[in-house]
Amino acid sequence: MLTVKKSVLTLICVIGCANANNLSAQKTFEVKNALDFSRSEIVSIPIDKLKKFLGKTKEADIRIKNKSGKLVPIQWIDYDNDGKNDELLFQTIIDAKTTNIYTMFADGKTPVPTPKVSTYSRLVPERVDDYAWENDKVAFRVYGPKGQKEAEQGIKGSTLSSGVDIWFKSTDRLIINKWYKGYLTDPMYYHKDTRGEGYDPYYVGDSRGTGGIGIWVNDKLQVSKNFIASRTISEGPLRTVFELTYFPWSDYKVKETKIISLDIGSNFSRFESTFESEKPVPNYTIGISLHKNEGLSKINDRQGYYLHWEKIDDAFVGEGVVVNPNIVQKSISHRTETPDQSNLLIITRPQKKLTYYAGFAWQKSGQIQNQDDWEKMLEKQAKIVASPLEVEFK
């Protein structure tokens, strides 16, 4: 009898200890939306906030479920490629003035759910050396060193510019690989909207495109040339992130490293430029191309958003920039007859790190119908930047 009792007690202890361990590998936390509209966003949790939890479980086993018990998509990001993750991302949909409750727990056997849409980015050596990125709403590209070299040699089809190009999409599917593959047999493949999924009619040239930067001196903009190196940090699926470096540029010999990211569901890429310069710089200026000065521009220094609304071919597109209004010196709509030099300019105080958001919406995507729709989208983005979702662990 004593042996049986001892076995039963041992079994009870094992079950109890197992349950205790399972409970210890759970953590409840809240996400709060202080704004008066609903939001669908990607939430970032720095690795430092997870250290205690990771002492009890492996990163690969972490799962997150919402209040109803449904698993949500997650993604890890290692920014410096040192083999150690720096933050955990997850997708949230949250109503206005609401707090959502989530549970983080260990479950290595249940697969992480895949989001219905995705982000993506990569270097594109088959089209000289563009760097392109996209999500379910928008697509962008910038230009690399081979493109610069060929442009300086006068080779047709190459681009010398540090402006930001935008590709119009009317599908939530990823199109970068498809469009570049089509380009290999037809150089006009993605310049024609023959498939009902969008195209690229936007011209950058030496303008700032949508979100390129420069330094505004004596009524002229000093700008860099193409990026000289790129590094993919994460392709996606919730957030795509990459890094670009530039050869020292301007009279001030500015060394620039730029980290660009794009989340699913967002029309705005996040740009974070880090600078070093040989001489003090008067400003860093963000620009939006005004092309042939036929569109409408609107400046809102108080809220920190800036828009351009123009017709390209048979439909309108709204381009915009959102930045912290506290760092803006002034903004101007600079219009000139000189090709590629008309830009809406947001002139910011010089600092070692400049963060801003640049994006667009195309009328044929169904996301907007008129300029008022586009301005409301920009105004919302400005409020989102000023009031990020709050994460609190219990």
Side-chain angles (χ1 to χ4, degrees):
M1 291 295 294
L2 286 175
T3 303
V4 172
K5 286 183 178 180
K6 186 176 180 180
S7 299
V8 170
L9 288 172
T10 301
L11 180 62
I12 293 171
C13 179
V14 168
I15 295 172
C17 291
N19 289 336
N21 287 334
N22 287 335
L23 290 172
S24 68
Q26 291 191 13
K27 198 171 187 67
T28 301
F29 63 97
E30 297 178 345
V31 177
K32 181 180 180 182
N33 175 18
L35 297 177
D36 59 1
F37 55 86
S38 62
R39 298 158 71 170
S40 176
E41 294 179 29
I42 303 304
V43 178
S44 303
I45 304 176
I47 196 71
D48 287 347
K49 286 192 173 184
L50 301 175
K51 282 185 176 179
K52 289 184 179 179
F53 187 76
L54 289 172
K56 303 167 186 174
T57 187
K58 298 182 295 185
E59 290 179 2
D61 292 343
I62 284 184
R63 303 291 182 268
I64 295 176
K65 60 184 177 182
N66 59 23
K67 191 175 181 180
S68 63
K70 184 178 181 181
L71 286 173
V72 299
I74 62 174
Q75 176 189 338
W76 289 95
I77 294 190
D78 172 12
Y79 281 98
D80 53 10
N81 285 351
D82 65 352
K84 299 177 182 178
N85 289 316
D86 298 304
E87 68 181 13
L88 175 64
L89 311 179
F90 74 95
Q91 187 178 16
T92 185
I93 299 173
I94 184 167
D95 291 333
K97 299 284 187 178
T98 297
T99 298
N100 283 359
I101 299 174
Y102 293 89
T103 301
M104 183 179 295
F105 64 101
D107 181 2
K109 295 182 180 179
T110 304
V112 175
T114 302
K116 294 180 181 179
V117 293
S118 181
T119 60
Y120 180 65
S121 72
R122 72 174 176 96
L123 185 68
V124 188
E126 63 266 37
R127 215 304 297 195
V128 194
D129 54 357
D130 299 345
Y131 199 103
W133 67 104
E134 64 174 319
N135 65 2
D136 52 314
K137 303 288 186 182
V138 288
F140 304 79
R141 70 169 168 176
V142 286
Y143 307 99
K146 185 178 178 183
Q148 176 184 320
K149 182 179 179 181
E150 291 188 358
E152 291 172 338
Q153 292 172 347
I155 297 176
K156 188 178 179 180
S158 297
T159 304
L160 174 57
S161 176
S162 58
V164 179
D165 189 22
I166 59 177
W167 280 8
F168 300 170
K169 289 179 62 171
S170 53
T171 175
D172 62 3
R173 297 187 300 273
L174 300 179
I175 50 82
I176 284 175
N177 289 338
K178 179 181 178 181
W179 287 13
Y180 277 117
K181 183 179 179 180
Y183 164 85
L184 294 177
T185 54
D186 176 8
M188 293 300 295
Y189 184 85
Y190 54 74
H191 292 291
K192 301 174 292 185
D193 189 10
T194 58
R195 299 164 301 281
E197 58 188 13
Y199 70 130
D200 173 28
Y202 191 86
Y203 176 75
V204 177
D206 195 34
S207 77
R208 295 301 78 209
T210 301
I213 67 169
I215 300 172
W216 185 245
V217 183
N218 298 325
D219 294 331
K220 290 185 179 180
L221 199 60
Q222 298 185 19
V223 300
S224 66
K225 294 185 179 182
N226 299 20
F227 67 83
I228 60 173
S230 67
R231 178 172 67 92
T232 301
I233 295 171
S234 177
E235 289 184 357
L238 302 182
R239 174 178 294 167
T240 191
V241 190
F242 60 97
E243 180 184 83
L244 305 174
T245 55
Y246 293 83
F247 189 81
W249 56 276
S250 80
D251 293 342
Y252 307 91
K253 301 299 179 186
V254 174
K255 294 180 181 179
E256 180 188 1
T257 301
K258 191 191 301 286
I259 293 179
I260 301 174
S261 61
L262 178 64
D263 291 355
I264 57 172
S266 177
N267 288 69
F268 300 90
S269 289
R270 183 180 189 271
F271 293 77
E272 182 183 275
S273 286
T274 302
F275 306 104
E276 294 180 13
S277 62
E278 292 184 2
K279 296 187 293 184
V281 175
N283 61 72
Y284 289 112
T285 296
I286 312 159
I288 303 172
S289 175
L290 301 181
H291 289 123
K292 296 180 179 180
N293 302 317
E294 295 172 350
L296 299 173
S297 301
K298 189 166 184 180
I299 287 168
N300 190 320
D301 287 331
R302 184 176 62 84
Q303 291 181 267
Y305 69 80
Y306 306 84
L307 72 83
H308 185 231
W309 179 256
E310 63 178 320
K311 191 174 186 180
I312 296 180
D313 293 340
D314 61 346
F316 285 89
V317 62
E319 306 109 321
V321 166
V322 172
V323 66
N324 181 351
N326 296 326
I327 68 171
V328 176
Q329 291 182 347
K330 65 176 181 177
S331 55
I332 59 174
S333 183
H334 178 69
R335 297 175 184 268
T336 176
E337 296 302 314
T338 305
D340 303 340
Q341 296 307 304
S342 290
N343 291 283
L344 191 161
L345 301 173
I346 305 108
I347 304 166
T348 71
R349 293 198 303 270
Q351 51 206 305
K352 289 186 176 181
K353 185 176 290 186
L354 172 64
T355 301
Y356 61 96
Y357 296 77
F360 68 97
W362 185 39
Q363 197 175 41
K364 284 190 174 182
S365 70
Q367 299 164 35
I368 59 166
Q369 290 303 314
N370 51 48
Q371 182 183 337
D372 186 54
D373 290 344
W374 175 232
E375 183 166 2
K376 287 178 180 176
M377 190 179 289
L378 274 167
E379 187 175 18
K380 276 190 173 182
Q381 180 66 19
K383 290 179 179 179
I384 287 169
V385 172
S387 181
L389 295 172
E390 301 173 27
V391 180
E392 182 180 348
F393 283 90
K394 295 299 183 179

